[in-house]
Amino acid sequence: MTGSGALLRQCPLLLPQNREGTAYEGFVTAQGRDFHIRILLPMDFQLKNARIECSWHLKKILHGYQHILKQRLHSCPDLVSFMVELKTILEIALKNTQNLHIPRPPEYYSCLVRDLEILGWNKVAYVDTGLTTIKLKAEDSCGRQHLMTLKLNAKYPTEPPDCLVDFPVQFAISWMPQNSLIDIYNQFLAALESLKEFWDAVDEIDGKTWVLEPENPTRSATTRRIAIGNNVSVTIEVDPRHPSMLPECYFLGADHVVNPLRIKLNNNMHLWDPEISLLQNLKDLLEIDFPSRAVLEKSDFAKDCGICYAYRLNGTTPDQVCDDPRCGQPFHQACLYEWLQSLPSSRQSFNVIFGECPYCNKVRKSHENE
């Protein structure tokens, strides 16, 4: 799932605990200090379902950053990327923890209050009692609400605050000692407009189709798993910098259903028109209409797993379907893999296991880290 060499370079003290690569334990280093951590990944390696265990000391330092860590778990493609994000967040948290103990000069408060008054209190969503954390709110040109969290250190405005936003791309501010909160706010507004086309595209998908995953997408989420029909869906990965371009598409469902869709996508790629919406392009290329939220309920095509009899398991939905058209039973990948492993008649080749469908006895295959 991840390059072990890349992980070793980023976190040389974090070591795998099993052959499957689903458990890691060791230390993460920030500002010359080592913090004990343990990461447990599910069998499908989905980071959003990972479990992170750490020492009480690290937990205390990261208190207040849990929502950001959760967001990064959902958006990072692999463990290496997440560890880079974790170290960055830990650096910020450590710096802010240290700053809490640094007495702030009177100039800090007078400068900050003046900046807030010039900016306008109507743009402030939250200020903590110590005037070290500020949340600013903004509305983009389409009326979407956004928040930016600023963590200020004792040397403000000589040094810039740390900015935390719910963006699908990195937000880095340019800062000079003579700058103020207004300059950050204007950069925030400019960044919002640069992402307008991306959010327009995913908002149309969220509003007009049945999105199976993520259940409640954040503004930083770039993937959508869209229902096409009964136990058939497509997962798209939209490039936030180029949202009008053809996204990566991965079909989920029985082969006899998804193969014709793959053929249509390949044959019609030349018809992609960046001047029309991403959703309309997908309809045109696949020659389909996605199930409408106005006409159908989610239960019409979101079927429970045939093994555990639940729809959602550890945050995942059924993404495996029996290929037999007369069966078409959906399963969670983890459930199917465990079922096939339990059958004496199953055979395994590397990380692929072959065995019988529990409903129709047709031979199925499942990948350990699919």
Side-chain angles (χ1 to χ4, degrees), residues 83-210:
M83 292 308 298
V84 172
E85 296 275 8
L86 175 61
K87 287 173 74 173
T88 303
I89 293 166
L90 184 53
E91 291 278 353
I92 292 170
L94 283 169
K95 195 162 72 171
N96 288 327
T97 303
Q98 292 160 4
N99 287 333
L100 289 175
H101 305 293
I102 301 173
R104 301 182 182 226
E107 297 79 22
Y108 168 88
Y109 298 102
S110 58
C111 177
L112 182 56
V113 170
R114 185 191 69 234
D115 282 0
L116 287 169
E117 286 176 346
I118 294 171
L119 178 64
W121 288 98
N122 61 320
K123 297 181 178 67
V124 180
Y126 167 83
V127 181
D128 71 338
T129 52
L131 291 180
T132 59
T133 301
I134 296 167
K135 291 185 180 181
L136 301 179
K137 57 185 177 180
E139 192 176 276
D140 63 27
S141 58
C142 290
R144 289 178 285 251
Q145 301 292 323
H146 303 270
L147 280 178
M148 172 172 59
T149 302
L150 303 177
K151 301 275 187 180
L152 294 95
N153 64 48
K155 295 181 180 177
Y156 176 84
T158 307
E159 291 185 4
D162 292 313
C163 301
L164 303 168
V165 292
D166 188 13
F167 283 2
V169 295
Q170 190 177 5
F171 176 62
I173 60 166
S174 58
W175 182 264
M176 299 289 285
Q178 65 268 26
N179 286 152
S180 68
L181 294 184
I182 300 156
D183 299 291
I184 293 180
Y185 193 77
N186 288 335
Q187 291 176 54
F188 182 48
L189 292 177
L192 291 181
E193 288 314 299
S194 73
L195 290 165
K196 174 187 175 300
E197 197 179 335
F198 166 74
W199 285 322
D200 285 348
V202 292
D203 279 0
E204 184 185 18
I205 289 168
D206 293 340
K208 293 183 179 179
T209 72
W210 277 110

Side-chain angles (χ1 to χ4, degrees), residues 37-55:
I37 191 168
R38 190 163 181 250
I39 298 172
L40 301 173
L41 300 170
M43 293 302 290
D44 59 5
F45 293 100
Q46 292 287 316
L47 276 182
K48 62 185 177 185
N49 300 318
R51 201 167 136 211
I52 299 173
E53 299 171 355
C54 57
S55 63

Side-chain angles (χ1 to χ4, degrees), residues 316-335:
T316 65
T317 58
D319 57 1
Q320 306 291 305
V321 180
C322 180
D323 290 334
D324 191 326
R326 295 165 298 177
C327 178
Q329 179 64 48
F331 308 100
H332 294 113
Q333 189 275 331
C335 292

